[in-house]
Each structure stands twice: as C-alpha cells, then as structure tokens.
Amino acid sequence: MDSKQVQLDTLSKLMLDCSKCSLRSDCIQVVPGEGPAKAEIMFIGEAPGRKEDELGRPFVGAAGKFLNEMLGSINLKREDIYIANICKCRPPENRDPLPEEIKTCWPWLLEQIKIIQPKLIVTLGRHSMEIFFSGYKISQLHGTLVVKTIPEIGQYNFYTLYHPAAALYNGSMRETLFQDFQKIPIILRKIKSE
Ligand code: URA
C-alpha cells in the first residue's frame, strides 16, 4: 500500500476514537470518510445522517444515491473520488452542526486534505461552502471554480455545488446541480493542464 493510503487509513482509525465534542455521545459511530488517497477530487458534505451513522459510511442514504447518479452522469464512480463530511459524527435529529462542533472537527478535515492533496475540492451545500468561504452565498458561488489559499493547508481549487439532499426534491435546484456537475470534468482537465 502506498504511503498516502497508509497515512489516510491511520488518520481514519484515530478519528474513530475521537470524542472531542458531544456529538460522539449521541451517535452510533464516527464516519471518517471513504475513497482512495490518490483521488483527484474530494467531495465534502455536511455531516452523516441516520443511514450513514448506521453504516459508518458517508453518503449512503437518499442523498448518496442521488450523488452516485450525478457521478455516473460524468463517468465517475464512488471508488474514483474521496468523500467526507465537515463533521464526522451525526448531529441529533439531523440538526445543523453547531459552530463549535464544526470548529472541533475542522482539524480532521484539514489532515484529510493535507494527505490527499486533491486537485479539486467540491463542497456540497451551504455549510461545507461556508467553512472555506465565509460571508458568501451559495447562490453566488455554485458552479464556479475558485482558487483559494487556506492558511493551514495552502492553495486549493474549490468548486461549490448545492447539496444533493436539498436538490433531490426541488426541480430547479436539481437541474442546476446537474448542470454544475457536468462542468467538473472540464474544470479538472483545465486544472491538470496548468
Ligand atoms: N448528507 C451529508 O452532508 N453527508 C452525508 O454523509 C450524508 C448526507
């Protein structure tokens, strides 16, 4: 196994033992994330839901099925990407994660990014966008490639999408998400050619 994969697996194991915030005591298990360490694209969602908490895997419920469909539309499979959440533990009743919970979990996400060094980071939904672009609206940023330096990890390419769970039952948002998704291969090719 290559060293990036070993590092990522070790990190995931450490996350399983995390109880730095109170979310851990209310959920079944930690959901670190999944995918190959060599992934070029890293997707970042919000937090595990009920199904994810049950199975210990990200995006395995209705939103995950929809995400898989979108990935398929651009000839990508789940095994091609890395996928994680801002918070690794399910908030009770699927409420939004609190600012202090996001802050406590943030170092785990930074470590994941540092190891994977994805060519493109795709944020899913408002919360995931806001941790990198505070003060912006998702309606302004979605579907646009933005290059930004994050002090702890350096410069990365970011692409914001609406959250698949929000778009699932909203016809126009669904269409926008689908169109934004179609741009991913073009953006990735552009990044790789630079
Ligand atoms: N929604 C998220 O943001 N993450 C998951 O893992 C599942 C649903």
Side-chain angles (χ1 to χ4, degrees):
M1 219 188 284
D2 73 288
S3 76
K4 261 171 96 153
Q5 193 62 55
V6 173
Q7 284 179 58
L8 195 59
D9 293 349
T10 306
L11 183 70
S12 295
K13 286 202 190 101
L14 288 174
M15 281 184 227
L16 297 181
D17 288 333
C18 179
S19 53
K20 288 191 188 129
C21 80
S22 60
L23 286 183
R24 181 64 191 96
S25 53
D26 289 326
C27 71
I28 301 171
Q29 57 188 316
V30 181
V31 182
E34 68 181 21
K38 63 175 189 335
E40 293 183 327
I41 310 178
M42 178 172 182
F43 284 77
I44 303 174
E46 182 182 321
R50 180 189 299 276
K51 196 90 189 158
E52 289 76 20
D53 190 31
E54 274 168 23
L55 299 180
R57 299 177 54 206
F59 283 93
V60 285
K65 272 203 193 119
F66 185 35
L67 180 66
N68 293 349
E69 239 181 74
M70 295 281 159
L71 288 168
S73 76
I74 54 169
N75 287 320
L76 283 177
K77 293 191 286 295
R78 279 286 286 258
E79 307 83 84
D80 298 322
I81 60 150
Y82 194 84
I83 186 155
N85 285 302
I86 315 169
C87 283
K88 313 303 186 200
C89 291
R90 181 190 182 211
E93 314 301 329
N94 286 356
R95 65 157 168 76
D96 287 348
L98 301 173
E100 58 268 32
E101 291 159 355
I102 293 177
K103 198 168 159 212
T104 308
C105 221
W106 174 235
W108 290 124
L109 185 63
L110 291 177
E111 286 306 313
Q112 288 176 310
I113 298 173
K114 271 199 245 173
I115 295 169
I116 299 165
Q117 297 188 300
K119 295 206 169 7
L120 182 63
I121 294 175
V122 179
T123 61
L124 297 170
R126 182 169 60 85
H127 291 285
S128 177
M129 176 207 71
E130 273 173 356
I131 52 162
F132 299 105
F133 301 99
S134 94
Y136 282 83
K137 287 205 158 59
I138 193 161
S139 54
Q140 295 174 287
L141 273 196
H142 77 89
T144 315
L145 174 67
V146 183
V147 182
K148 181 167 183 190
T149 299
I150 308 298
E152 300 92 333
I153 51 174
Q155 184 175 293
Y156 280 91
N157 297 293
F158 292 89
Y159 189 62
T160 297
L161 295 178
Y162 285 115
H163 197 291
L168 198 49
Y169 303 110
N170 176 327
S172 70
M173 205 187 277
R174 195 185 167 103
E175 183 55 31
T176 305
L177 178 59
F178 184 79
Q179 284 169 6
D180 288 346
F181 236 95
Q182 305 314 301
K183 293 197 228 160
I184 292 177
I186 304 159
I187 288 172
L188 192 62
R189 265 201 301 279
K190 180 175 174 284
I191 292 168
K192 286 164 81 172
S193 70
E194 279 166 359

